[in-house]
């Protein structure tokens, strides 16, 4: 018995070291970006030369940067709205439609997360050229809806599944139609998840690069602007300052979306827990 416990403890230590090493390998390069963004040197190298806010000051008053940021915000808002609406519809029909077609559509909607981004970008480029859209802002929005759709489907499906089925059945028994039940019962109960899905889809669209690389026209988005600036060594500190701002905003949005999602799941479990014995 003692030998078994020793083996378990040893295995747990090795697993902990592995997880720690993995986290360091994954996040240390990300943490270096904010560090070098305050460094008073155009080279990202040690030792640090001093503290400065100069690179953040260069972000203001840049018309090209402002235009790329505006494009990214508009595209992300429209794409997140479309992906959220599609995710709500697909996930609800998958759970309550009781149709093989609905289950198939739900599986297809989650499929893009498994396809390499390059393949998705090339396929979308061929498609928009065939239908006459060509590389444009509309094409980018459609591509971002496709990329963000799996996330919204997963979030909304888990939210709808967490709502006790008796609530929907009670509404139907009281004479409400399927549409009324969805609009006045299921959707309000899922409001935190809807907002969470929208925020995650917004974040995915805002940060997407590969699809934009293939579908962008004459109006670049923020990721394309950052990629174009990496060709100039003197622009690297400014890019790191911009990356730090994006990283901070992304953490805030992702954290808020996760809090909303868990709050919605907890609210769904409370009615079932509150039933009298």
């Amino acid at each position: 018995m003692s030998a078994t416990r020793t083996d378990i403890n040893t295995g747990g230590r090795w697993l902990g070291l592995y997880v720690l090493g993995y986290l360091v390998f994954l996040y240390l390069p990300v943490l270096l970006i904010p560090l070098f963004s305050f460094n008073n040197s155009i080279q990202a190298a040690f030792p640090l030369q001093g503290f400065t806010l100069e690179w953040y000051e260069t972000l203001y008053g840049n018309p090209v940067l402002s235009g790329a940021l505006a494009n990214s915000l508009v595209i992300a808002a429209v794409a997140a709205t479309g992906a959220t609406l599609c995710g709500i519809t697909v996930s609800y029909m998958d759970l309550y439609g009781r149709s093989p077609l609905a289950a198939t559509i739900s599986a297809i909607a989650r499929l893009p997360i498994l396809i390499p981004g390059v393949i998705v970008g090339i396929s979308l480029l061929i498609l928009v050229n065939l239908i006459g859209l060509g590389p444009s802002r509309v094409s980018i929005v459609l591509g971002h809806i496709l990329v963000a759709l799996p996330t919204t489907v997963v979030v909304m499906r888990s939210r709808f599944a967490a709502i006790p089925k008796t609530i929907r059945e009670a509404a139907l028994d009281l004479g409400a139609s399927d549409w009324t039940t969805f609009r006045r019962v299921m959707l309000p109960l899922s409001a935190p998840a809807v907002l969470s899905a929208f925020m995650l889809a917004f974040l995915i669209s805002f940060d997407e690069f590969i699809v934009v690389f293939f579908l962008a026209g004459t109006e670049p988005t923020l990721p394309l602007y950052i990629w174009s600036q990496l060709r100039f060594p003197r622009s690297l500190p400014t890019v790191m300052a911009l990356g730090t701002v994006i990283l901070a905003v992304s953490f805030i949005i992702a954290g808020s979306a996760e809090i909303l999602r868990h709050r919605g799941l907890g609210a769904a479990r409370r009615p079932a827990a509150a039933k009298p014995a």
Side-chain angles (χ1 to χ4, degrees):
M1 182 68 70
S2 59
T4 303
R5 290 180 178 176
T6 302
D7 293 339
I8 293 176
N9 292 334
T10 303
R13 293 193 192 98
W14 281 111
L15 179 61
L17 290 175
Y18 168 77
V19 172
L20 179 61
Y22 177 79
L23 292 176
V24 170
F25 175 79
L26 186 64
Y27 290 107
L28 183 59
V30 177
L31 296 178
L32 289 177
I33 294 177
L35 179 64
F36 287 122
S37 69
F38 295 104
N39 185 30
N40 191 16
S41 173
I42 63 172
Q43 296 182 348
F46 292 102
L48 301 178
Q49 301 300 314
F51 179 84
T52 182
L53 295 175
E54 177 184 355
W55 316 123
Y56 289 89
E57 294 173 356
T58 59
L59 298 178
Y60 298 97
N62 188 331
V64 180
L65 173 59
S66 300
L69 176 61
N71 288 334
S72 290
L73 291 175
V74 172
I75 290 172
V78 176
T81 301
T84 304
L85 292 176
C86 292
I88 292 172
T89 305
V90 170
S91 58
Y92 188 81
M93 291 305 298
D94 182 22
L95 286 172
Y96 299 107
R98 296 187 180 92
S99 168
L101 179 60
T104 302
I105 293 176
S106 178
I108 294 175
R110 286 174 283 179
L111 189 60
I113 199 172
L114 303 176
I115 302 176
V118 174
I119 303 300
V120 174
I122 295 174
S123 302
L124 290 174
L125 177 61
I126 296 174
L127 177 62
V128 297
N129 285 331
L130 287 176
I131 63 179
L133 284 176
S136 61
R137 185 182 294 188
V138 176
S139 301
I140 296 175
V141 169
L142 295 177
H144 282 191
I145 291 177
L146 177 66
V147 173
L149 183 58
T151 300
T152 60
V153 170
V154 170
V155 172
M156 292 309 305
R157 193 181 189 282
S158 63
R159 180 67 182 94
F160 285 134
I163 298 176
K165 294 183 179 180
T166 53
I167 295 179
R168 181 175 180 272
E169 292 171 355
L172 294 174
D173 290 341
L174 291 173
S177 63
D178 287 335
W179 167 244
T180 303
T181 301
F182 169 75
R183 180 173 56 90
R184 302 190 63 178
V185 178
M186 304 299 290
L187 197 57
L189 290 175
S190 305
V194 172
L195 185 56
S196 175
F198 175 85
M199 295 171 69
L200 291 176
F202 181 92
L203 194 59
I204 292 172
S205 175
F206 187 83
D207 294 336
E208 176 60 37
F209 170 76
I210 298 179
V211 172
V212 175
F213 182 80
F214 286 98
L215 300 181
T218 58
E219 302 178 4
T221 60
L222 194 59
L224 276 183
Y225 171 81
I226 294 175
W227 178 80
S228 66
Q229 294 300 304
L230 291 176
R231 295 176 295 175
F232 309 104
R234 296 191 64 87
S235 300
L236 182 59
T238 303
V239 170
M240 289 191 292
L242 180 59
T244 302
V245 175
I246 296 175
L247 186 65
V249 174
S250 299
F251 271 116
I252 293 174
I253 294 177
S256 301
E258 189 67 12
I259 292 172
L260 286 171
R261 190 179 70 87
H262 281 284
R263 182 175 298 177
L265 291 176
R269 295 190 184 102
R270 278 195 289 271
K275 288 181 180 180

